[in-house]
Every structure is written in structure tokens, then in C-alpha cells.
Amino acid sequence: MRYPAKVKLVDVGPRDGLQNEKQPVPAEVKIQLVHMLQDAGLKEIEVTSFVSPKWVPQMADATEVMAGIQRKPGVRYSVLVPNMKGLEAAFPSKPDEVVVFGAASEAFSQRNINCSIAESIERFAPVVEAARAKGIYVRGAISTAVGCPYQGEVKPESVELVARLMKEIGVQHCGVADTIGVGTPRKVQAAMEAALKHYALDDISGHFHDTYGQALPNTLACLELGVWQYDASVAGLGGCPYAKGATGNVATEDVVYMLHGMGIDTGIDLDKLIDAGKYVSDFLGRKPVSRAAQAILTRRAG
Amino acid sequence: MRYPAKVKLVDVGPRDGLQNEKQPVPAEVKIQLVHMLQDAGLKEIEVTSFVSPKWVPQMADATEVMAGIQRKPGVRYSVLVPNMKGLEAAFPSKPDEVVVFGAASEAFSQRNINCSIAESIERFAPVVEAARAKGIYVRGAISTAVGCPYQGEVKPESVELVARLMKEIGVQHCGVADTIGVGTPRKVQAAMEAALKHYALDDISGHFHDTYGQALPNTLACLELGVWQYDASVAGLGGCPYAKGATGNVATEDVVYMLHGMGIDTGIDLDKLIDAGKYVSDFLGRKPVSRAAQAILTRRAG
């Protein structure tokens, strides 16, 4: 069969997930969550974001969280940095990887960061250079890669443009993100193929939201292209800022259930992963937004 | 591309869905739901079940519901019949199609109907013959086709056996059902390929539950085999009797969203379908168990 034999999952729950919680989650809960994720076998965790606490109070404890983690050998700890100030704030925490962002939608770029796609990437050039000078790996995320809340459809050509610009400024890894979860299999394949024109298969990942229930078929469609790295969020942490109450990030548990069922190795212990999701969901006072987790927790209670 | 250009969806919500509601739903609500589904463009609806009201009080109004439907030309109305008594009770309602069941799991067959797989199919032989003598199309459903709550894994060989036995007694259509939703893409492909040894592609359908969130990737995997007929349940009606509180049938809305996004024609108006799901969900006092419906309803409210 054409599917990859192994898949690497990056859990973005502590950052992309908890950033969307109204009430900031205490640092010790985030640290415990990271510990449970690494114990479950995750090999990369997007821990936090070095952003202005004025804009994102949920991530104001970035330095504290990074300092509190007992790092496990072989695990990568990544952080998001929106600009040079964020990168400099991140340096003392010694992240293995920093994540920078660019939108594939011109309308999204204008509305969110008040500049064109090309300008936004250009602004990242010194950040990428400074990070790489310190030996930090740079991941670029292409947001709104298949659809945009403002302009609707996003063409693969736009994804290709962002991928090319990112490549030009030295971004080492390209993540293709369906930020609002509107993508379906053929569309995400087209977006992925556009990114693959500038990045090798080993330097590409998919980031799918489950807002319309499409994250797993989209993952399956990209597995067929050979893409073997995906972001996911334990317990489906993180809602959708463009549709309040709707589902956001795909749950790591659901992805793992599918991959293991297909005989694809992730190195993850699904039961421990479910424990991690239950831990943070209990703290948040709700059920994990993962169908596999709910079914398995029901069976456990059974 | 290898996907079918058209897909036919059978909405099983009024039967498979509402049968799982604790409180029987009034006949007029079921009738209104069927009307809304046919208005939304569904070409086949599994309306009810002619079973003993002692065992399934939710379907005690089978005759009343069938009589109340204003049939729309081009739409097929199917009913489930567990035995000859059920078939005879169904005759006056003039269904276009009857559905009979056989399990692919020996343990499930023994526990649920107290006989072997082979015996259970044999008992259906006179039912199939009597139905066909009246010109009624007979669909056979192979339940527990990839997993069983009692024996666990189910081998494709067992699916092939049931398909062969069904074919032998004259069953015209073979539905491959992942009754407990544990299947993943390769497993459902294997089950489907086993059924395809005895049924032509045009006489095969998939019936997937979303208990572990796998119904859409499983559908995508079967689309790749050319399978173009699927069951689904509006608003995800119907829970999972083997995991209380867990998700059951895949929501028709989620399937339609995926198919339309892939450029596959279903003949269904997604907005009207969402109205149908909202109608019955409002009656039941809960939200539709469909991510696409929730996202679209949120956007509508927004």
C-alpha cells in the first residue's frame, strides 16, 4: 500500500488549543499536560507562544511553562513567535523549534496583520535568520490554506506563493493549515501538492481542523500523497474563533485511532494519550472533543 | 481521479436513528422528517421497521408512518423486516424495498439471535423469496462487518461468507455495516472487497458509524474502491447501543459536506438537509450530532 509506515504527530494542544480558552489555564496544568503528552509518546509538542500578553493573556506564562517542563530526550519543544520581540523573549527558554505564520489568503493577511502576504513573509526574514543563527529549527505555518473566513475559497497558487516565499527566507519546514476546517480531501491534496513544489515530503506537514468533521478524511487524503507529519490537539483543545461553539483542531486521539487501525506506527500509547486528554478536559470541566476518546472512556466506565 | 462522480445516500435516520431513542417519537414527527428528507433531495429513506412492538416500541407505529407519507416520485421507501411476520405486516404499506440482516460475527449472531450465521441467513430465505415474489427489492445488511462487541476483530472471510449466503438466497443488494464504528480505512476496504466477491459494485453499499470518528475516512477509503452508495443518518440520529453516550450513525450532513467539497454529486440540498436535522434535533431537545451542521447552524446564527 501507498501509505507511510510511520507518522509523526505534533501535539499543539498546549499552545493552539489552550490559547483559545477564555480563562487562562494555570502554568502548572499546562506543564502537567506537556508531561503527560511526552509520557504518552509524543515526539513534538507545541508548548506555548511568545506573544504580547496584552493580546494573548492565555500565553502570558510562556517563560514559566517552558522552565517548568522536565524535558525528555528525543522530544522537540516548539513555540510560536509572531515577531523578533517574541523570538528574543523565547531565546532564554531554549526552544528546539520556533513557528512563524503566513496566511495564504490575501484578505486574511490584510484583516489580521494589516499587510499583504508578501510583506508578512518579508517581515519574518530577520526572525528566521536570527533563529537559525542560534541553531533553532524554523517551522512555517501557512494558515487559511484551503479557505478563508473573509474571502472564501483559497487557490492552491496562493499556497504555492507562500511556500516559495517561506523557502526563500530560510524557513525549514512548511505546515499546511486548514485554519477554519472547510477543506475536503481533494482541496487539501491540491494545497499540499502546491506546497510540495517548494518543500520536500520530509519537510511538510498537515494541520487540519475538524470544524466540518473533515479532518480525518483530509489526513487520509494526504497520507496518500506520502505526507507523514501532522499537527493535532489532544482532546480537540481549541475551538474555532470563526464559528463560536464549533469544533477546532482535530483531536490527537482520533488521528491516532485511525493510524493505528491502519497499521501505521506513531510511537504513541493511545490509552496514555486519552489520560492526558481527560486530565485537561476535567480541568476545563468538559468532555474531550474526541469521538475515539469518548467511546473509549465510555467503555472504560462500562 | 478515481472517485465516483455521483453518490447515492440512503437516510436511515427515521428507522436506525429513531429506533435508538428511549422515548418513542410520535408518528407525525417521523412523517414530517421523511417529508423534509425527500424535499432535501434524498432518493432513498429507510422509514421504519416492522418488528414486534414488544421488543421495539419505538417502531410500533410502522404502518401509520408509512401511510402518512406523501410519496415523492423517484424516491424509494425501505423498511426493515426481521422475519416473515414482519414482512407480512409490511406488505399493506407497499415498501419499495425491505432490509434483512445478517451478522458477520459468529459471537454476535449467537448472542443476538441465538443461532449461527448460516442458520440466520437460511431463516431469511423464505422472507426474501416472498418479498421478491411481490416485486419488492431486497437489501441485505451485513452487521458487525469489521468488529464485534463480543468477539472483537471480524475477518473479511466472515463478510465474504455472509455475502455469499445472502447472494444464494436471492438478496439483491449487500450493505456492509460497521455497526460499532471501530473500523478504519484499510479494514473497511478489506470488508468491502470481501463483499465485492459476490456482489457487483452497483449492488454494494457502506454503512458506517462514527463512534470513533472514523466514518468519513472509511467512506473516503470506499469511494476509492468505486463504492457509490452509503447509508447515513440525518443529524447523526441513533446512538451506539454498545457504548452509551457515544456517537452512532454517521451524520448525513457530514457525508454530504465532504462529497460536495470533492465535487461529487449527491442530488442533495445541504441547507435543506440541515433544516431536516435541526427539525428533529429540536424535537429531541438536543443539537444535531453533525460537525458540519453545527458549524453551519452557528454561521447562520452569527
Side-chain angles (χ1 to χ4, degrees), chain A residues 1-3 181-187 189 210-214 216-217 220-221 224 243-247 254 257-258 261-262 289-292 294-296 298-299, chain B residues 1-3 181-187 189 210-214 216-217 220-221 224 243-247 254 257-258 261-262 289-292 294-296 298-299:
Chain A
M1 290 290 281
R2 61 197 174 288
Y3 302 116
V182 295
T184 41
R186 282 175 161 172
K187 289 180 190 170
Q189 281 178 334
D210 214 18
T211 320
Y212 292 78
Q214 307 298 312
L216 289 191
L220 184 63
E224 286 179 20
K244 292 280 170 222
T247 310
D254 291 350
Y257 185 90
M258 180 176 86
M262 295 172 73
V289 184
S290 155
R291 293 187 166 176
Q294 281 185 28
I296 291 167
T298 305
R299 245 180 25 199
Chain B
M1 291 286 281
R2 61 198 174 288
Y3 303 116
V182 295
T184 41
R186 282 176 161 171
K187 290 181 189 170
Q189 281 178 334
D210 214 17
T211 319
Y212 292 78
Q214 307 298 312
L216 290 192
L220 183 63
E224 285 180 20
K244 292 281 170 218
T247 310
D254 291 350
Y257 185 91
M258 180 176 86
M262 296 173 71
V289 184
S290 156
R291 293 188 166 175
Q294 280 184 28
I296 291 168
T298 304
R299 244 179 26 196

Side-chain angles (χ1 to χ4, degrees), chain A residues 57-136:
Chain A
Q58 292 90 339
M59 297 286 120
D61 56 6
T63 299
E64 186 187 351
V65 171
M66 285 296 281
I69 297 168
Q70 300 265 359
R71 298 201 187 184
K72 189 177 165 184
V75 176
R76 284 160 81 106
Y77 303 87
S78 64
V79 303
L80 192 118
V81 294
N83 49 35
M84 189 60 91
K85 205 175 155 193
L87 179 69
E88 282 165 357
F91 277 149
S93 296
K94 300 194 183 305
D96 299 297
E97 183 178 312
V98 294
V99 182
V100 298
F101 272 86
S105 152
E106 199 64 59
F108 194 86
S109 192
Q110 290 290 354
R111 292 268 292 251
N112 268 34
I113 38 178
N114 207 24
C115 66
S116 73
I117 292 174
E119 283 164 347
S120 77
I121 306 293
E122 213 170 279
R123 287 185 197 171
F124 271 121
V127 178
V128 174
E129 200 185 338
R132 293 194 59 178
K134 294 248 186 194
I136 300 174

Side-chain angles (χ1 to χ4, degrees), chain A residues 7-15 33-34 36-48 69 72-80 95-99 136-140 173 202 204-205 228-234 252 266-268 273:
Chain A
V7 158
K8 176 186 169 184
L9 296 179
V10 178
D11 203 294
V12 301
R15 201 286 300 172
L33 176 61
V34 169
M36 292 181 85
L37 289 172
Q38 64 192 23
D39 285 350
L42 267 298
K43 290 284 174 289
E44 182 166 343
I45 302 166
E46 196 176 285
V47 176
T48 186
I69 297 168
K72 189 177 165 184
V75 176
R76 284 160 81 106
Y77 303 87
S78 64
V79 303
L80 192 118
D96 299 297
E97 183 178 312
V98 294
V99 182
I136 300 174
Y137 186 83
V138 181
R139 172 190 290 251
H173 180 102
D202 288 349
I204 287 260
S205 60
W228 59 274
Q229 298 178 84
Y230 298 91
D231 292 353
S233 179
V234 66
T252 316
T266 65
I268 293 169
L273 179 65

Side-chain angles (χ1 to χ4, degrees), chain B residues 142-147 176-184 188 207-209 218:
Chain B
I142 304 181
S143 65
T144 60
V146 286
V176 177
D178 180 11
T179 314
I180 57 169
V182 295
T184 41
V188 299
H207 175 111
F208 303 128
H209 280 222
N218 289 345

